[in-house]
Amino acid sequence: MVSGTDRDYKALVVRIAVGNREKLKGTGILYIRNLNERVCVFTAAHVISDCFDINGEVYLFLDFYDQKYDNHLIEGAFDKVDQKNANERWVYIPDSYNSYNLNNDIAVISFPWENWMKELPTYEFRDAVLNETVYGWGYPQAMNSKSTEIEGTCISITGKVGNVISDRYVLNYEAPTRERGVSRHDEMSGYSGTGLFQRENEKVYFTGCLSGAAGEESDGSRVWIISSNVFFRAIEKLDMQPAIPNSFMPYKQDILEQVEEFSEDVRNFLQDSVDTLIEDKKLLPSQCIHEKSIESADLLCKTDRKSCKHYWKGQLTRAICFCEILGLNPEELSDIKISDKQDGYTIRIEFLCTEEKVSRCIQLLLEKALLKKTLKNESGIILLWNGQSSVYYTKTIRRSEIRRIIVSIANTPRQKKKLSEKNDFFNIVDGDIEESNIAMIGMGELFDTVIYDGNGNIEKMRGKFNELIKDAWEVLDEHLE
């Protein structure tokens, strides 16, 4: 049984036929860079490399089945190119491809984006992890005659990663499709080009495409996978590498899925808020990023945030909170400050998406002196913590608790001296709680306490937000504005 999430990724799978729709040649996996931008299919070069005519064209039938199992066919002549091309449809195969040993056995098939793709998921690129499980779906040759429905022949393949080298790895696979008289070669001839994925911490990583059998026929179920880094180098050359999304629309459903269907008031608020932000206020993902922000430090991010669904889901949550609830304009999102005019506090609000532990994160921030910006005109920083795998994603870490973390980091006189030299404003090791200038609020806590518990009522949500900030900062007066 395919889970709902896996069904989304199965919808990226394409059946590749040449010349005739029934003439199966292999499998591919769709890559979407951005809404309304041309897309790619990744596959193995040997699937189509020998199919080009004298004019350098190949006639392809690309069959997709979306999450509702509706069929979408891309059909037409594709030109063979050696670089990014302005033509509507083209195929790129690197010059380094070797048909004998299947080195660099990759092809990139490119064509214009279509509207049905707007609901499809994205993925990140990553090398496969040794001994871990990968999985995908393909169209094995052995199953091609068993059904008159093309979609019905899409079969899962899974296995363990072994023998990882620079540009490919061996997969010890399980694909229960082979019957008596069906060779491993025939089975793999349809699976060729199948995209393989790994999951970790609710993220999905593309690890590469199936190339061909590894070893002799007697070696059993062992195949080569061309690593995702080879495909990434190709799309870099083609100027189609991941980019900052051009819209928050792909993440709207992720926001709504945080709320049960019976919470109608909250769901209606979120639905209207996202539509208002995107359509009326013209909110763009690029407006959420500040080049001098704490989150701009790559040492705190282990993945490419440009294609990270969790990152943009967090940014959209932040935009809903600060623009729709507190009334900021989208252009103010990259530099948020809140003030208590009576007590003279000005606190910077920073978004921080990282899987680092809190203590390690604070240590790295201190070592790099990234917090020095608060010295002159600000009292401190409240970090909006978007580390979903951390227990603190659904908690508040008050200033007093951050102070204890700092004390544990600087637990010798020498460390205290080094800390004070790098952060001369940061006197909380020996000082009082009022001198502590960092607090954290988990993005899960922000969503649950402000949006969910606020039940879609703006005034109630605004009150919940103020209470949350005062609780994190501890000494703020009730006149927070």
Side-chain angles (χ1 to χ4, degrees):
M1 178 66 68
V2 178
S3 70
T5 300
D6 281 347
R7 184 175 294 122
D8 291 338
Y9 286 90
K10 189 177 180 182
L12 298 172
V13 176
V14 55
R15 180 188 186 275
I16 302 173
V18 177
N20 184 307
R21 194 177 184 186
E22 303 303 317
K23 190 177 180 181
L24 170 67
K25 290 292 289 184
T27 305
I29 194 76
L30 185 66
Y31 161 69
I32 300 174
R33 183 175 187 258
N34 253 328
L35 291 179
N36 300 307
E37 293 185 10
R38 64 182 304 116
V39 297
C40 294
V41 164
F42 298 145
T43 188
H46 75 263
V47 170
I48 54 176
S49 61
D50 60 349
C51 299
F52 290 92
D53 61 23
I54 193 171
N55 297 315
E57 288 186 346
V58 59
Y59 200 94
L60 297 178
F61 294 85
L62 307 176
D63 273 289
F64 297 86
Y65 286 82
D66 63 24
Q67 297 94 323
K68 298 178 181 178
Y69 302 115
D70 292 332
N71 174 242
H72 303 277
L73 173 65
I74 307 294
E75 173 189 359
F78 285 71
D79 297 324
K80 186 177 181 180
V81 300
D82 58 6
Q83 60 185 353
K84 187 175 181 179
N85 197 287
N87 291 349
E88 187 177 55
R89 301 184 180 98
W90 48 262
V91 177
Y92 166 79
I93 298 175
D95 293 336
S96 55
Y97 163 60
N98 187 315
S99 60
Y100 176 74
N101 59 21
L102 296 185
N103 282 341
N104 293 307
D105 183 23
I106 74 163
V108 179
I109 304 170
S110 183
F111 48 90
W113 185 89
E114 295 190 358
N115 192 55
W116 62 269
M117 300 175 184
K118 65 183 179 181
E119 303 298 334
L120 296 180
T122 59
Y123 49 78
E124 298 182 42
F125 294 74
R126 192 181 73 173
D127 288 339
V129 178
L130 183 65
N131 295 324
E132 293 296 319
T133 298
V134 297
Y135 68 97
W137 301 270
Y139 288 89
Q141 186 73 44
M143 295 290 291
N144 196 41
S145 62
K146 290 189 174 184
S147 173
T148 56
E149 293 294 328
I150 293 174
E151 193 276 334
T153 65
C154 186
I155 304 297
S156 64
I157 181 170
T158 185
K160 289 291 183 71
V161 175
N163 193 24
V164 178
I165 58 178
S166 59
D167 285 340
R168 60 181 182 173
Y169 66 88
V170 168
L171 175 68
N172 300 300
Y173 71 92
E174 303 169 14
T177 65
R178 197 184 311 167
E179 297 181 353
R180 188 184 302 275
V182 177
S183 71
R184 180 162 60 122
H185 176 270
D186 285 342
E187 181 178 67
M188 287 300 105
S189 66
Y191 269 127
S192 290
T194 295
L196 280 304
F197 296 96
Q198 278 186 328
R199 286 187 177 276
E200 183 180 323
N201 296 329
E202 299 187 12
K203 291 183 179 179
V204 176
Y205 299 96
F206 170 64
T207 66
C209 284
L210 193 150
S211 176
E216 302 297 328
E217 182 72 28
S218 60
D219 286 342
S221 300
R222 298 177 70 245
V223 289
W224 285 112
I225 310 298
I226 301 298
S227 297
S228 62
N229 61 68
V230 184
F231 289 92
F232 194 87
R233 290 199 298 267
I235 60 174
E236 280 188 316
K237 177 178 179 178
L238 299 168
D239 194 26
M240 300 181 74
Q241 66 270 34
I244 292 175
N246 52 26
S247 172
F248 271 113
M249 192 57 74
Y251 310 101
K252 176 180 177 179
Q253 188 60 35
D254 297 313
I255 293 292
L256 294 175
E257 287 176 355
Q258 296 179 94
V259 182
E260 292 86 349
E261 292 183 4
F262 55 78
S263 301
E264 185 177 358
D265 290 338
V266 180
R267 289 180 66 86
N268 287 342
F269 165 75
L270 290 172
Q271 183 102 27
D272 292 343
S273 293
V274 175
D275 290 342
T276 298
L277 284 169
I278 295 175
E279 297 174 8
D280 299 340
K281 297 185 178 180
K282 309 301 181 186
L283 171 69
L284 299 173
S286 59
Q287 293 173 307
C288 298
I289 299 177
H290 193 289
E291 62 180 11
K292 295 182 180 180
S293 65
I294 285 177
E295 66 159 350
S296 65
D298 290 337
L299 78 163
L300 295 175
C301 186
K302 295 180 180 179
T303 58
D304 186 351
R305 63 171 58 95
K306 293 190 292 293
S307 58
C308 179
K309 178 183 291 189
H310 176 62
Y311 176 81
W312 292 111
K313 174 184 170 183
Q315 286 284 23
L316 182 53
T317 299
R318 183 172 73 113
I320 292 170
C321 184
F322 284 92
C323 294
E324 290 303 285
I325 297 175
L326 299 183
L328 296 185
N329 295 318
E331 55 268 24
E332 298 177 89
L333 280 173
S334 64
D335 189 19
I336 299 176
K337 298 176 185 178
I338 58 176
S339 301
D340 183 326
K341 296 178 181 178
Q342 179 170 313
D343 289 344
Y345 286 100
T346 299
I347 306 166
R348 178 181 293 274
I349 305 294
E350 291 265 12
F351 183 80
L352 184 60
C353 192
T354 176
E355 298 304 324
E356 293 283 0
K357 292 183 178 179
V358 170
S359 57
R360 177 59 177 161
C361 176
I362 295 297
Q363 184 176 0
L364 290 170
L365 291 173
L366 294 174
E367 288 174 355
K368 297 297 181 178
L370 293 176
L371 306 182
K372 277 192 173 182
K373 68 169 81 175
T374 64
L375 175 61
K376 294 182 179 179
N377 303 315
E378 299 162 14
S379 306
I381 292 176
I382 292 180
L383 298 170
L384 301 180
W385 185 262
N386 201 44
Q388 192 171 22
S389 62
S390 170
V391 65
Y392 295 108
Y393 180 71
T394 55
K395 293 184 177 180
T396 294
I397 313 180
R398 301 173 183 85
R399 290 199 294 161
S400 58
E401 295 169 305
I402 295 289
R403 180 176 182 270
R404 295 187 192 104
I405 293 174
I406 300 297
V407 171
S408 69
I409 293 172
N411 56 10
T412 68
R414 181 173 180 273
Q415 288 174 321
K416 289 181 180 181
K417 184 174 183 296
K418 288 179 65 177
L419 185 63
S420 64
E421 288 173 351
K422 285 194 173 185
N423 300 274
D424 51 13
F425 71 98
F426 206 85
N427 190 33
I428 68 170
V429 174
D430 296 315
D432 296 326
I433 177 61
E434 287 80 3
E435 293 177 285
S436 178
N437 59 2
I438 305 177
M440 286 186 179
I441 299 173
M443 288 300 296
E445 170 81 337
L446 182 69
F447 186 91
D448 291 344
T449 299
V450 176
I451 298 176
Y452 192 82
D453 291 348
N455 202 33
N457 182 287
I458 291 290
E459 291 303 320
K460 188 175 181 179
M461 288 187 286
R462 191 173 293 139
K464 293 280 187 183
F465 174 84
N466 287 337
E467 291 173 7
L468 189 60
I469 294 294
K470 286 189 286 185
D471 181 48
W473 204 247
E474 294 183 303
V475 297
L476 278 180
D477 203 340
E478 60 183 13
H479 300 289
L480 184 69
E481 296 181 0

